[in-house]
Amino acid sequence: ELIATLNDGIRPVVKSVTRLTHNVVEVRINAPLAAKMYKSGQFFRLQNYIANSERVNDTTLAMEGVALTGALVDPDKGEVSVISLDMGGSTNIIPHLKEGEHVILMGPTGSPTHTPGGETVLLAGGGLGNAVLLDINQALHQAGSKVLYFAAYKLMEDRFHIDNIKAHSDCVVWCCDTGPGFEPDRPQDMTFVGNIVQAMEAYAKGELGEVEIPLNEVDYIIAVGSHFMMKAVGESRHTVLKPFLKPDHKGVASINSPMQCMMKEICAQCLQPHRDPVTGEEKVVFSCFNQDQPMDLVDFNALNQRLLQNGVHEKLTRQWIAYCKEDLNKIRPSV
């Protein structure tokens, strides 16, 4: 009986694979011990087993370890949900995982996100960053914080888990790069066509209508998205948004640096330079040890260069996996 309990707790099994949008997939995994240990903001390293991998065109479609943040983890059910963007290579194999398939789920790892109680928190999510914020938003709500959520997307069809976002946010500003824009179905929510910084500025100036949570009440900003988006949010706090924000507010960004081992200070793939804007002092940190980093210290240009360092290999792999998937879909269709 003890062996059966341990086996169930430490051998993750896929429960479901669901396509949320044209390029976003959610995988629910039965992993009781991982779910029990998880804290909001932490992430996992997902891989399939070579023994379960299909072989197509003389290629074994085994995934490298993919860093995925926990989304809607349920410790009572012993389930971990991770959400992946189809970017190529290993992430394009994820939709082919099947119910009942054993997988490798390392973690949780990384540091939990600071989810204070009794504060006003602004969440800025860009694209898949909104998946990362699902659990953080829920934790903030449960802690008694007030949440102003700017949810930004490139296309109208890119939204997912809409009800969950609304359920834990006091106000949501739905942003889309393209028109006609979203139509809020709650009186306190708003809509904007354009980028997230433009939306924040319009909100602060009252151009979106009367607001219940002015920006000058915000104590804490958490931004999760592309490095370009997080850099823009970070810089706007000292430019166009500066007149509307508390001088002593805090801002952090969830750094999406390259990761490999995710074992904290081992492989150095996730090294991220920090530069103090006042003293000019420089240091490096391991992002897989603490992915939430002060916006004002992060060298986003260096982050961009590090994300591009394996660009050629990634593009070649993406093309080859795409070629293999044509035959793989005949053998093992994806969601």
Side-chain angles (χ1 to χ4, degrees):
E1 184 178 344
L2 176 61
I3 293 176
T5 301
L6 286 173
N7 188 59
D8 180 62
I10 63 178
R11 293 193 68 197
V13 180
V14 175
K15 290 203 68 175
S16 65
V17 182
T18 307
R19 183 161 292 283
L20 301 177
T21 72
H22 70 287
N23 63 350
V24 174
V25 170
E26 179 178 18
V27 183
R28 291 206 66 83
I29 301 168
N30 183 73
L33 289 181
K36 182 179 179 181
M37 298 299 295
Y38 172 82
K39 291 181 173 58
S40 298
Q42 290 185 298
F43 56 96
F44 299 89
R45 182 177 187 264
L46 177 67
Q47 259 181 301
N48 63 349
Y49 282 98
I50 291 178
N52 297 332
S53 304
E54 298 291 347
R55 187 166 178 80
V56 181
N57 296 326
D58 293 324
T59 302
T60 301
L61 297 180
M63 297 162 48
E64 61 181 343
V66 179
L68 297 172
T69 304
L72 307 180
V73 174
D74 190 331
D76 295 329
K77 292 183 178 179
E79 293 182 7
V80 171
S81 170
V82 292
I83 297 177
S84 170
L85 178 68
D86 295 345
M87 295 182 66
S90 294
T91 54
N92 277 354
I93 297 174
I94 290 176
H96 293 271
L97 296 174
K98 294 300 178 185
E99 181 180 344
E101 180 175 344
H102 285 95
V103 292
I104 303 164
L105 189 73
M106 183 195 119
T109 189
S111 299
T113 295
H114 177 57
T115 51
E119 294 187 1
T120 300
V121 182
L122 186 156
L123 299 182
L128 193 67
N130 292 294
V132 179
L133 288 173
L134 286 172
D135 208 73
I136 295 171
N137 188 19
Q138 183 172 307
L140 287 166
H141 178 81
Q142 292 172 347
S145 287
K146 188 181 294 185
V147 176
L148 169 60
Y149 194 141
F150 284 81
Y153 306 86
K154 183 176 291 185
L155 303 173
M156 294 281 290
E157 60 267 27
D158 286 345
R159 290 195 301 176
F160 51 86
H161 286 309
I162 299 170
D163 290 340
N164 184 278
I165 292 175
K166 292 189 298 184
H168 302 107
S169 306
D170 295 275
C171 172
V172 183
V173 181
W174 299 104
C175 316
C176 191
D177 288 348
T178 57
F182 303 112
E183 292 189 13
D185 54 6
R186 301 191 307 177
Q188 71 268 38
D189 294 343
M190 299 175 176
T191 184
F192 183 83
V193 176
N195 68 50
I196 196 167
V197 171
Q198 292 170 336
M200 290 179 181
E201 185 179 7
Y203 178 92
K205 292 179 178 179
E207 295 174 2
L208 305 185
E210 187 176 348
V211 302
E212 296 182 5
I213 308 175
L215 285 194
N216 61 15
E217 291 184 5
V218 171
D219 303 297
Y220 202 68
I221 296 177
I222 303 174
V224 188
S226 71
H227 56 288
F228 295 115
M229 172 268 198
M230 293 187 292
K231 179 182 180 182
V233 171
E235 290 177 345
S236 70
R237 296 163 44 247
H238 302 289
T239 55
V240 294
L241 297 181
K242 184 175 181 178
F244 307 102
L245 290 168
K246 286 183 178 181
D248 60 346
H249 81 279
K250 297 179 180 178
V252 300
S254 183
I255 301 305
N256 53 345
S257 65
M259 293 190 187
Q260 185 173 315
C261 73
M262 292 171 237
M263 295 177 68
K264 303 182 175 71
E265 304 185 11
I266 302 295
C267 77
Q269 279 286 307
C270 68
L271 280 181
Q272 172 59 44
H274 280 191
R275 182 179 293 106
D276 190 305
V278 178
T279 66
E281 180 185 358
E282 294 187 5
K283 64 178 181 179
V284 293
V285 298
F286 288 82
S287 295
C288 79
F289 190 90
N290 184 10
Q291 70 284 2
D292 293 338
Q293 300 172 23
M295 290 182 187
D296 293 335
L297 300 184
V298 175
D299 185 337
F300 284 102
N301 292 329
L303 174 60
N304 180 45
Q305 291 174 354
R306 288 188 66 79
L307 289 170
L308 293 174
Q309 66 187 352
N310 297 320
V312 174
H313 300 297
E314 290 170 352
K315 289 180 174 66
L316 289 172
T317 301
R318 181 167 60 245
Q319 292 297 323
W320 183 253
I321 294 295
Y323 169 70
C324 291
K325 279 186 67 176
E326 295 179 7
D327 291 332
L328 180 59
N329 278 320
K330 301 173 185 176
I331 302 171
R332 193 176 190 182
S334 66
V335 293

